[in-house]
Amino acid sequence: MSQQIDHVLEETRLFDPPAAFAAGASVASREAYDALYKKSVEDPDAFWADVASELHWFKKWDRVCNKDNAPFVKWFEGGTTNVAYNCLDRHLTTARKNKAAIIWEGEPGDQVILTYQELHRRVCQAANGLKKLGVKKGDRVAIYMPMVPELAIAMLACARIGAIHSIIFGGFSATAIRDRVHDSDVSCIITADGGWRRGSVVPLKAAVDEALENCPTVKNVLVVERTKNDVSMEEGRDHWWHDVMADVSDECPAEELDAEDPLYILYTSGSTGKPKGILHTTGGYMVGTYLTSKHVFDLKEEDTYWCTADIGWVTGHSYIVYGILANGATSVMYEGAPNHPGPDRFWQIVDKYKVNVFYTAPTAIRAFAKWGDEHPAKYDLSSLRLLGTVGEPINPEAWIWYHEKIGRKNCPIVDTWWQTETGCIMITTLPGAMPAKPGSAGVPFFGVQPAIVTEEGEEVDAGHSGLLVVKEPWPSMLRTLYGDDERFKEVYFEKFAKQGWYLTGDGAFCAKDGYYMIIGRLDDVINVSGHRLGTMEIESALVSSELVAEAAVVGFPHDVKGQGICAFVSLRGDAEVDDEAKEKLRAHVAHEIGAIAKPDQIRFTDALPKTRSGKIMRRLLRDIAAGNETTQDTTTLEDFNVLAKLRESEA
Ligand code: WTA
């Protein structure tokens, strides 16, 4: 940690927004930001009421924020609205009616453009299709799909009728689907025959079939035809999307939903083995994603905006679909890999659609830098006016590369810190209002009151690192963990129960200028290519293999992925320690969780280093995985020999 902090202290480069950008920005100066921020924390009810009034409510709320039962808070209590209505119907009486809502490009190069009017029609149809299958308000619908337009349509159709969607990233395995389906008693799954990834078909329907061998609650599976690969369709349970949609009406009034009716569940990794079902509700989430999209991306009516995330992660929920469409903007969606057919695919897309605002992850930026400057250099990227990053800390070298080679030194960069739990961007710069500092996310967004505190809950002075907490509730915060209020309280609010602070799980540092730099997770969560994975989840997967007696998983610094996965494994007595065992274990983890969780290093060991009380010494393993000398106090280590043996074990 201390090394990183020294590094920040050296970071004196500040990048002011170009004057022309600032002049036209929605928040155009530091003074404007300061004034609005002050209002947002001094009178949050008035601030958020103003914002919410820019959107459509069937019935206005009685109370903006109700903290009586904190940490279970309510926003816009008594109000009724509908997120799909605000993303679609609201625009149909304006010039946006025939504006592109979604510009979609498939990996093979096919293209679909849906205007707001057409998207509305398709969403109404899908909503009626779901109703025909018996899906009702409050039912859980799992969505396991490639990045195709029907994915956005399915989400908005659920939102329209008040069904709760639970999107499962298409890279997850059958086991992961089954766990999520069980956890929230899903009754309907929407999937596709397959999706395109690096020129091959990802067989999504087959994974669903495998998962469903053991899921009695699922009555219907809706299958979008995308890749036309052979799939088996179970009579009575499985239906082709196009058949169901062929004979339903394309009119479907949006359900009047309570502001606190659930909108979606999204599972994310935590410190324990079981993923947490983050629950977001209707009104607050809508208002939060709407306002952050408007100011952080400085959306203009004529902008073409592209977020390269997969909708299976929260970034895609908030900033491909909900926040962007609520602003009536044009959202680009791309199905496939960034390097297919060549490493220039993203730049080709930016050039082709004249993308103005581009939002991606540091891991992607590091990969592009590695693939070579010649790829972006071939294209006209002059349409770009704003760049963003999300998902993990961005190292200043990657930031500078992004600024020079993609932004051509003309575009502000917003480094946006937030989490699945927070629903929307919490710490960032506002691109026209203040300079960016490479490596630092920036300042709190409106209404957000962060602090850096010690384990004991004392605020630390500027320049010192500590735990990042949020002191007051904000509209788009998670409301609970699905079906587990106790765990919600325990994970996020128990540590600082007295103060009522939300514990982010991240370590951070606030410089004297008020800019926050996020250092990374303090819990057993690692961030691999911007994807959150729990070390315990990977350990459980490893231990479920018949070869393994015990396993410990830690992250280590990785050039491109940010963090890589290192597994220390002791095998059962009779298992052979060889490369074949390594490959078997990697395949096993892919089967249990998904390919993203495959360990980069597997180190076999006879025993794991433990304290006398039997706790695995993870910090020590982290040092070994990173190839660092151990500076840790090892006096509590049970067996000193273990350490020496671990160092010898090759990766
Ligand atoms: C990390 C993704 C540094 C952080 C939206 C957080 C970041 C976790 C940044 C949440 C950033 C996200 N700088 N770290 N700009 N953005 N993180 O839930 O550790 O997938 O807690 O949400 O990613 O990951 P999640």
Side-chain angles (χ1 to χ4, degrees):
M1 241 188 213
S2 58
Q3 274 173 348
Q4 295 197 38
I5 291 165
D6 292 345
H7 194 77
V8 190
L9 292 175
E10 285 163 21
E11 183 58 77
T12 49
R13 289 169 291 187
L14 289 178
F15 292 80
D16 280 314
F21 186 100
S26 72
V27 182
S29 66
R30 179 73 202 214
E31 294 68 40
Y33 161 80
D34 287 341
L36 265 176
Y37 181 74
K38 187 160 181 277
K39 178 174 178 196
S40 75
V41 297
E42 286 179 357
D43 192 355
D45 282 9
F47 177 86
W48 289 113
D50 282 353
V51 178
S53 302
E54 293 175 23
L55 295 163
H56 175 86
W57 296 78
F58 299 110
K59 175 173 171 287
K60 203 181 158 185
W61 54 91
D62 305 317
R63 196 169 167 187
V64 177
C65 179
N66 176 349
K67 297 192 267 186
D68 295 349
N69 194 25
F72 301 96
V73 296
K74 292 182 178 160
W75 284 86
F76 307 108
E77 200 176 5
T80 62
T81 185
N82 185 294
V83 183
Y85 186 98
N86 276 286
C87 288
L88 301 169
D89 309 48
R90 193 168 83 82
H91 309 306
L92 299 186
T93 52
T94 72
R96 290 176 184 154
K97 181 173 74 172
N98 291 316
K99 172 178 175 176
I102 293 178
I103 297 181
W104 174 82
E105 181 159 308
E107 195 185 73
D110 39 347
Q111 172 187 304
V112 171
I113 297 182
L114 295 172
T115 62
Y116 272 94
Q117 190 164 234
E118 180 63 10
L119 181 60
H120 175 263
R121 222 172 57 75
R122 301 275 305 269
V123 168
C124 287
Q125 230 171 27
N128 285 327
L130 288 173
K131 283 188 188 167
K132 194 165 108 180
L133 297 180
V135 175
K136 304 179 305 297
K137 179 180 168 188
D139 288 355
R140 274 78 59 212
V141 174
I143 302 181
Y144 182 69
M145 281 173 88
M147 285 281 288
V148 291
E150 287 83 355
L151 169 51
I153 292 168
M155 296 164 78
L156 290 160
C158 288
R160 195 163 189 88
I161 64 174
I164 307 168
H165 61 70
S166 165
I167 303 185
I168 304 168
F169 171 56
F172 280 134
S173 68
T175 316
I177 302 173
R178 188 182 308 140
D179 291 347
R180 286 157 175 74
V181 165
H182 281 167
D183 189 70
S184 52
D185 292 332
V186 163
S187 64
C188 174
I189 300 191
I190 308 176
T191 187
D193 47 0
W196 290 107
R197 187 85 193 167
R198 272 191 202 101
S200 322
V201 171
V202 181
L204 297 166
K205 175 64 166 61
V208 169
D209 290 340
E210 189 188 334
L212 289 194
E213 283 165 16
N214 226 323
C215 294
T217 56
V218 176
K219 303 292 178 238
N220 292 290
V221 179
L222 201 48
V223 188
V224 171
E225 186 174 59
R226 165 67 185 137
T227 43
K228 297 193 163 67
N229 48 315
D230 272 344
V231 294
S232 66
M233 296 290 282
E234 194 178 295
E235 187 70 36
R237 184 194 73 182
D238 300 352
H239 320 269
W240 286 108
W241 170 285
H242 52 262
D243 290 342
V244 173
M245 302 312 158
D247 59 352
V248 291
S249 149
D250 58 11
E251 279 172 36
C252 174
E255 190 84 24
E256 280 194 31
L257 298 175
D258 193 274
E260 284 298 337
D261 276 337
L263 176 64
Y264 69 81
I265 303 169
L266 182 57
Y267 287 85
T268 189
S269 298
S271 294
T272 63
K274 196 173 152 231
K276 306 178 285 194
I278 306 296
L279 184 81
H280 282 293
T281 58
T282 300
Y285 176 82
M286 171 178 83
V287 169
T289 53
Y290 165 75
L291 191 71
T292 44
S293 300
K294 177 173 165 177
H295 292 316
V296 180
F297 301 123
D298 186 45
L299 291 175
K300 299 284 179 268
E301 201 59 69
E302 60 277 16
D303 273 343
T304 299
Y305 162 95
W306 183 21
C307 164
T308 69
D310 191 292
I311 291 179
W313 306 97
V314 74
T315 303
H317 285 61
S318 297
Y319 300 114
I320 294 178
V321 181
Y322 292 122
I324 304 305
L325 300 182
N327 276 281
T330 298
S331 189
V332 174
M333 215 176 137
Y334 167 61
E335 177 186 33
N339 54 354
H340 189 83
D344 57 349
R345 185 63 185 270
F346 274 16
W347 318 124
Q348 192 193 350
I349 294 175
V350 168
D351 190 353
K352 178 169 171 190
Y353 299 106
K354 306 295 172 220
V355 170
N356 307 103
V357 181
F358 180 75
Y359 191 36
T360 196
T363 183
I365 297 167
R366 290 190 295 265
F368 297 137
K370 203 167 163 176
W371 292 336
D373 300 356
E374 64 275 23
H375 304 296
K378 276 191 299 200
Y379 293 91
D380 177 6
L381 304 182
S382 61
S383 58
L384 290 172
R385 60 181 203 89
L386 173 62
L387 305 175
T389 74
V390 60
E392 48 173 324
I394 179 163
N395 45 311
E397 299 68 34
W399 196 102
I400 298 291
W401 186 88
Y402 196 31
H403 178 69
E404 290 179 356
K405 304 296 182 228
I406 306 304
R408 316 259 156 103
K409 300 190 182 170
N410 267 324
C411 304
I413 298 179
V414 288
D415 174 354
T416 62
W417 175 84
W418 58 295
Q419 308 177 297
T420 307
E421 290 87 342
T422 69
C424 67
I425 294 167
M426 301 288 277
I427 298 180
T428 178
T429 47
L430 291 184
M434 58 193 73
K437 181 159 78 170
S440 292
V443 299
F445 188 73
F446 303 126
V448 176
Q449 301 191 44
I452 310 287
V453 303
T454 63
E455 289 281 339
E456 290 72 39
E458 312 236 331
E459 284 196 46
V460 306
D461 293 335
H464 293 277
S465 62
L467 314 180
L468 177 64
V469 298
V470 184
K471 290 173 151 183
E472 290 292 329
W474 63 99
S476 67
M477 69 190 287
L478 79 166
R479 295 301 192 265
T480 190
L481 295 179
Y482 187 81
D484 203 345
D485 288 350
E486 279 312 305
R487 191 173 170 208
F488 164 73
K489 279 201 288 194
E490 182 193 314
V491 174
Y492 303 106
F493 293 96
E494 193 168 274
K495 191 167 181 80
F496 298 116
K498 205 169 67 212
Q499 300 90 333
W501 297 339
Y502 166 82
L503 180 73
T504 65
D506 279 331
F509 160 101
C510 184
K512 294 216 165 58
D513 57 10
Y515 275 40
Y516 286 81
M517 171 178 174
I518 313 301
I519 299 167
R521 303 288 306 194
L522 297 171
D523 52 11
D524 294 320
V525 171
I526 49 182
N527 198 325
V528 181
S529 303
H531 298 154
R532 232 171 109 167
L533 294 167
T535 53
M536 297 278 277
E537 264 171 275
I538 307 171
E539 285 166 14
S540 318
L542 284 165
V543 177
S544 73
S545 153
E546 72 225 7
L547 298 177
V548 177
E550 204 178 20
V553 168
V554 295
F556 67 93
H558 188 287
D559 279 359
V560 174
K561 299 180 180 183
Q563 283 190 292
I565 302 171
C566 176
F568 293 87
V569 175
S570 67
L571 294 180
R572 287 183 188 280
D574 48 355
E576 288 282 337
V577 174
D578 55 15
D579 283 349
E580 199 187 322
K582 276 189 194 171
E583 272 326 298
K584 267 196 192 152
L585 291 180
R586 285 164 52 79
H588 182 73
V589 173
H591 182 262
E592 291 297 298
I593 305 176
I596 44 165
K598 274 194 211 170
D600 300 277
Q601 303 182 25
I602 293 185
R603 297 178 178 228
F604 293 119
T605 165
D606 294 338
L608 293 168
K610 292 187 185 157
T611 62
R612 292 202 181 100
S613 62
K615 254 184 106 161
I616 294 176
M617 301 184 79
R618 285 171 190 283
R619 293 222 172 150
L620 217 134
L621 294 179
R622 266 181 228 136
D623 281 347
I624 294 171
N628 295 340
E629 278 307 307
T630 306
T631 50
Q632 287 260 318
D633 179 14
T634 53
T635 47
T636 51
L637 192 61
E638 193 191 2
D639 176 0
F640 286 96
N641 288 331
V642 169
L643 187 59
K645 281 199 194 144
L646 278 172
R647 288 200 177 285
E648 284 159 19
S649 70
E650 28 140 16

